[in-house]
């Protein structure tokens, strides 16, 4: 499985839409343009782990990130709500991914005389030992099978057995051949059994920790690729060319692809040498995937999705028939169900509300808040929000929006002025006050220092104290304003 497309909403006032190749992707651009930030967020977002384990602080500079994977799987990360959802109820996918980014911190020490590169190599050594053992077990299995099914004197059977064994070791042999070619200028050869290097004329082996930093880097990259075992993998690399010789830079992508041709490379570099000869058509300039942020525009990825219209609604309705318990229990299960989807249209939201009414179940504030969160523009979200105070779907006007509902709606506004106007109207008509999350969301939409000043005046008026997330965003915005 690989990544098809990445969309980022409002990273320092810009939107990004990057369509990826299945094999090689190289992102280039000026220092400070956001390349490393994008790569780190991408890695954190696609890991199939629980929301509670995600480092959502990485997403503070953005509003949301939407990622399309193979098989039409979509992942959506919202920075303010600290949530990650898929376009299906349960996003069952297996995504193998490695992130190599230790090169800019090689001098930091974990303990005496141990760098982060050394620590990484030590981990890879243990994984390599396990890999070697697995290969030996596969060879042993070949011997067992052939012993049971063939005559030990059958020459054709022996040839077939040798071919099978050669196939088992093929990838590892490629790795060793490439590694020894790279190290040939310094007359070093890799000893796979002892996991060290030998040099002719020198009896003492050269341990990985005694290699030069560039040698450690290339060993980490190629070992990581080898241990992918030929499977579909995504390999993220942030400036892997640091400390690498020009020849090593020039052959880096080709060597990775030779060891694992099923590896999707997503790489940031400042070195034309790394891609100039064979991979220049795989290069993307960051300014070519960047546009001025338009927060009222719905997600390009979600808009282009080819899911059948109403398919999600039919799934929800079908699952509803299996909900057991009283009406309160069924509503609870219904709310959990709809929260697992990435997006709905306004008509789909209305259809779901009508479905509840037909089943004599009255939606609560969680129902409305969840539906609002799934809409991709402000006008539709505001219409669903306004339904909360009517009796259309309730036996009485008992459903009142709370601060979470307000903040969910605020995410949909087009800019700071519209957001402040919404806050004022809701505060006057519903006596619902904003909080720091409200202002942090609007700060992400500020395009200039005048809007930031307007927002700060409103925050002072409502007496809202800033938190770290808000101050971080303020620093980002101030930095951009200073430019």
């Amino acid at each position: 499985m690989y990544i098809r497309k990445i969309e980022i909403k409002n990273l320092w006032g810009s939107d990004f839409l990057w369509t990826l190749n299945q094999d090689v992707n190289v992102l280039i651009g000026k220092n400070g343009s956001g390349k490393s930030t994008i790569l780190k967020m991408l890695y954190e977002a696609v890991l199939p782990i629980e929301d509670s384990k995600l480092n959502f602080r990485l997403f503070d500079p953005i509003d949301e990130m939407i990622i399309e994977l193979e098989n039409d799987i979509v992942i959506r990360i919202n920075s303010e709500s600290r949530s990650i959802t898929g376009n299906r109820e349960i996003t069952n996918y297996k995504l193998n991914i490695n992130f190599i980014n230790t090169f800019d911190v090689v001098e930091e020490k974990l303990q005496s005389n141990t760098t982060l590169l050394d620590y990484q190599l030590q981990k890879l050594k243990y994984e390599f030992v396990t890999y070697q053992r697995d290969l030996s077990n596969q060879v042993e299995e070949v011997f067992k099978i052939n012993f049971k099914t063939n005559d030990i004197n059958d020459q054709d059977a022996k040839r077939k057995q040798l071919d099978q064994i050669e196939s088992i070791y093929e990838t590892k042999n490629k790795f060793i051949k490439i590694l020894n070619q790279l190290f040939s200028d310094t007359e070093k050869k890799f000893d796979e059994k002892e996991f060290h290097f030998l040099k002719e004329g020198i009896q003492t082996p050269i341990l990985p920790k005694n290699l030069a930093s560039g040698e450690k880097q290339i060993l980490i990259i190629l070992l990581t690729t080898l241990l992918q075992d030929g499977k579909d993998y995504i390999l993220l690399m942030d400036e892997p060319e640091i400390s690498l010789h020009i020849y090593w830079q020039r052959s880096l992508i080709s060597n990775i692809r030779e060891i694992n041709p099923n590896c999707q490379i997503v790489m940031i570099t400042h070195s034309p040498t790394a891609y100039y000869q064979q991979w220049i058509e795989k290069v993307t300039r960051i300014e070519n995937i960047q546009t001025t942020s338009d927060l009222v525009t719905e997600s390009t990825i979600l808009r282009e999705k080819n899911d059948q219209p109403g398919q999600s609604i039919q799934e929800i309705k079908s699952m509803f028939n299996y909900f057991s318990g009283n009406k309160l229990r069924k509503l609870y299960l219904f709310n959990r169900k709809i929260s697992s989807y990435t997006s709905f249209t306004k008509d789909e939201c209305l259809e779901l509300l009508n479905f509840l009414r037909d089943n004599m179940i009255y939606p609560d504030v969680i129902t409305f808040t969840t539906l609002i969160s799934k809409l991709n523009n402000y006008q539709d979200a505001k219409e669903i929000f306004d339904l909360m105070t009517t009796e259309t779907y309730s036996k009485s006007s008992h459903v009142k929006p709370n601060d979470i509902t307000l903040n969910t709606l605020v995410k949909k506004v087009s800019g700071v002025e519209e957001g402040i106007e919404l806050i004022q109207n809701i505060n006057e008509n519903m006596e619902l006050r904003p909080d720091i999350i409200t202002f942090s969301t609007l700060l992400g939409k500020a395009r200039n220092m005048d809007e930031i000043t307007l927002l700060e005046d409103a925050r002072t008026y409502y007496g809202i104290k800033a938190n770290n997330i808000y101050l971080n965003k303020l620093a980002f915005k101030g930095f951009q304003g200073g430019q």
Side-chain angles (χ1 to χ4, degrees), residues 271-322:
S271 172
T273 305
Y275 59 81
Y276 186 76
Q277 286 187 324
Q278 186 177 349
W279 307 102
I280 194 165
E281 74 279 3
K282 306 293 184 179
V283 174
T284 299
R285 295 183 178 276
I286 193 167
E287 58 266 27
N288 292 338
I289 62 172
Q290 179 180 1
T291 59
T292 302
S293 182
D294 186 357
L295 297 164
V296 297
T297 302
E298 63 181 325
S299 161
T300 302
I301 290 178
L302 296 177
R303 187 173 64 244
E304 292 176 351
K305 288 301 299 165
N306 56 5
D307 292 344
Q308 296 179 4
Q311 180 179 356
S312 300
I313 305 304
Q314 293 306 315
E315 290 176 359
I316 295 169
K317 289 180 178 179
S318 298
M319 184 61 70
F320 184 87
N321 295 326
Y322 295 96

Side-chain angles (χ1 to χ4, degrees), residues 249-261:
Q249 293 180 32
R250 187 180 299 127
S251 61
L252 177 63
I253 296 176
S254 297
N255 286 336
I256 292 172
R257 294 287 298 168
E258 184 174 351
I259 294 172
N260 185 7

